[in-house]
Amino acid sequence: MQIVDPEPIRFLDDEGNLAPSATASEYAAELEHLGEAELREWYRDMVATRAFDTECTHLQRQGQLALWVPSVGQEGCQVGLAHALEPQDHVFPAYREHLVARVRGVSFIDVAKQFRGLTHGGWDVTDPANGNFHLYTLVLGAQTQHATGHALGQLLDAKRRAGTTTMDAGEPGTETGEATMVFYGDGTSSQGDANEAMVFAASYQTPEVFVVQNNRWAISVPVERQSRTPLYRRGLGFGLRSVQIDGNDPLAAYAVGRRFLREARTGGGPGYIEALTYRIGAHTTADDPTRYREDDELAAWQRRDPIARLEGYLRSLGTTDDFFEEVRATADVEAKQVRDQILTAPKPTADSMFAHVYAEPHPRIEEQSAWLERYESSFEEGAAE
Ligand SMILES: Cc1ncc(C[n+]2csc(CCOP(=O)(O)OP(=O)(O)O)c2C)c(N)n1
Ligand SMILES: [Mg+2]
């Protein structure tokens, strides 16, 4: 059977001209309240993240970070989706969502610290200042399970508030007022975890939005190897509302993200967004993409840079050079601050690794902590042989 895929949803063309696809019209109302001032802040987020990201790559090359995971090229979908979230929503990232972290309130320095081994667990997810932005997850797909579990909890809480205690599968319609968004990649879509998370999401109609940033590569494996069909059709197969968007168009990401999140919060069940984008840089600083990618492919995507695209749109609205220059200069200062701060940031004490294992004191943990203290002090001068 021949299935014809609809055109990916987009509002802006590669130059940033307003040129909505036919598939975009049903989402256009989501953009009506947006003004130039807000779009300028999105632009600032994108440029600041790219400057930070580039600085971290340099820091790694200079031996100051153990590893870095670049997000260059993927700022378009990230900025639109990040701004589509409401403060009460929760976000479960993979490891490349630096811009989403910024918008949710996690500082760049906290993101960078993980890659210098200065923290045993990233930022404090219980601190509301961190915007319900959960920890980076390097075990591919594990975060999809955490997200669906969390969304099930949001659903149960709402049911309890409404006086219901049953948890029947397949019952849409519970207003939760909050949603969960989970990010993962095209390669991760093949993990069992990611597929199981969708089964539970569909069965229980969780208030959740799955976001697959299809950046065309899973390290050296092209997306064609992961799936014979476009990835959004996998979401459809599980019974999720699923669409494909132009992932370098911030407006498309915002419009679809906002609609899907609202539907999730108001009892409409889970959705699935496949954002077509591209990883311009290496997979991580431990990777050399020139060994498996063609220069032409890279060049074609460089011409579709999401930052240049939003710049084009802002210029068409009347934003002038002085704004863009100020944003770039401020981003450079911010990136330089991260460099200065990370080089002098204190190391955590070794026993801080025990601090958050349990909420309350625990004899096994106390025993291990005491052992570590004895072991460490055995290196002190004058310690017994
Ligand atoms: C369970 C598991 N298997 C394998 C790896 C090694 N690994 C790390 S990233 C990666 C590719 C992921 O590709 P994708 O999901 O497309 O995300 P991207 O890195 O492109 O954003 C692999 C195989 C891992 N971290 N976890
Ligand atoms: Mg990928």
Side-chain angles (χ1 to χ4, degrees):
M1 190 178 67
Q2 183 70 26
I3 298 177
V4 180
D5 293 298
E7 204 187 343
I9 297 163
R10 63 144 56 175
F11 286 90
L12 299 178
D13 69 14
D14 291 353
E15 277 73 48
N17 304 305
L18 203 54
S21 58
T23 44
S25 58
E26 63 173 299
Y27 298 91
E30 305 294 336
L31 303 176
E32 274 166 14
H33 67 286
L34 274 181
E36 192 179 341
E38 265 160 305
L39 294 179
R40 285 183 178 199
E41 287 316 301
W42 295 15
Y43 182 83
R44 188 181 294 283
D45 290 330
M46 294 168 87
V47 173
T49 305
R50 189 167 292 185
F52 160 69
D53 199 307
T54 308
E55 189 66 54
C56 286
T57 297
H58 294 160
L59 282 164
Q60 196 283 333
R61 291 290 183 245
Q62 292 157 6
Q64 301 295 346
L65 298 183
L67 182 79
W68 182 245
V69 189
S71 67
V72 175
Q74 298 183 211
E75 299 93 340
C77 48
Q78 289 192 19
V79 79
L81 292 164
H83 284 279
L85 289 154
E86 294 287 343
Q88 72 274 21
D89 296 333
H90 282 250
V91 185
F92 288 77
Y95 40 73
R96 214 185 281 287
E97 284 68 56
H98 313 317
L99 193 153
V100 187
R102 170 189 166 91
V103 173
R104 296 304 284 180
V106 176
S107 67
F108 280 157
I109 187 76
D110 274 354
V111 173
K113 269 183 186 170
Q114 298 172 103
F115 294 92
R116 193 172 161 85
L118 294 181
T119 155
H120 294 301
W123 41 89
D124 181 357
V125 290
T126 63
D127 180 351
N130 287 330
N132 298 337
F133 187 79
H134 292 255
L135 297 178
Y136 274 0
T137 306
L138 273 79
V139 180
L140 299 179
Q143 76 275 22
T144 61
Q145 302 268 317
H146 305 156
T148 296
H150 190 272
L152 271 169
Q154 289 173 316
L155 185 60
L156 263 175
D157 283 350
K159 280 179 182 277
R160 240 176 243 130
R161 283 196 298 271
T164 323
T165 47
T166 55
M167 187 70 190
D168 293 335
E171 259 188 0
T174 304
E175 293 239 4
T176 53
E178 54 180 287
T180 295
M181 180 173 272
V182 56
F183 288 87
Y184 56 105
D186 44 293
T188 304
S189 72
S190 297
Q191 288 286 122
D193 276 4
N195 291 272
E196 289 160 16
M198 284 195 278
V199 170
F200 270 82
S203 294
Y204 289 96
Q205 292 294 291
T206 54
E208 189 173 1
V209 179
F210 292 84
V211 175
V212 176
Q213 288 176 88
N214 175 359
N215 63 9
R216 299 204 54 78
W217 292 91
I219 314 185
S220 58
V221 178
V223 65
E224 291 76 21
R225 199 85 76 249
Q226 304 292 344
S227 179
R228 298 272 169 195
T229 67
L231 294 176
Y232 85 97
R233 285 203 217 159
R234 288 193 169 165
L236 288 177
F238 285 100
L240 309 183
R241 268 192 314 289
S242 306
V243 294
Q244 200 177 43
I245 65 167
D246 180 329
N248 285 9
D249 176 357
L251 295 184
Y254 177 80
V256 176
R258 188 163 185 265
R259 162 83 80 83
F260 277 27
L261 283 164
R262 188 175 60 246
E263 288 173 350
R265 285 185 218 107
T266 54
Y272 182 104
I273 301 172
E274 180 191 3
L276 299 172
T277 183
Y278 196 75
R279 155 167 67 71
I280 295 292
H283 170 71
T284 67
T285 47
D287 169 52
D288 173 7
T290 62
R291 296 176 65 121
Y292 55 82
R293 290 198 313 205
E294 299 296 336
D295 292 346
D296 291 353
E297 178 182 285
L298 175 62
W301 281 92
Q302 276 170 327
R303 285 194 293 275
R304 309 184 60 204
D305 188 326
I307 295 186
R309 197 186 292 198
L310 188 57
E311 180 168 334
Y313 185 54
L314 280 169
R315 284 187 188 279
S316 76
L317 297 180
T319 302
T320 50
D321 282 346
D322 46 344
F323 169 76
F324 297 110
E325 278 159 24
E326 179 270 315
V327 169
R328 276 191 286 271
T330 306
D332 287 345
V333 169
E334 216 182 318
K336 169 81 168 53
Q337 277 167 355
V338 170
R339 159 176 287 272
D340 294 343
Q341 284 171 14
I342 196 90
L343 296 180
T344 53
K347 287 183 189 161
T349 57
D351 74 345
S352 63
M353 79 173 92
F354 300 113
H356 301 293
V357 180
Y358 294 106
E360 288 170 9
H362 188 288
R364 289 286 291 161
I365 295 298
E366 278 164 19
E367 196 183 301
Q368 289 172 22
S369 170
W371 178 87
L372 182 69
E373 206 180 314
R374 279 197 307 279
Y375 178 73
E376 294 280 340
S377 57
S378 72
F379 295 100
E380 281 167 18
E381 220 166 307
E385 284 294 303

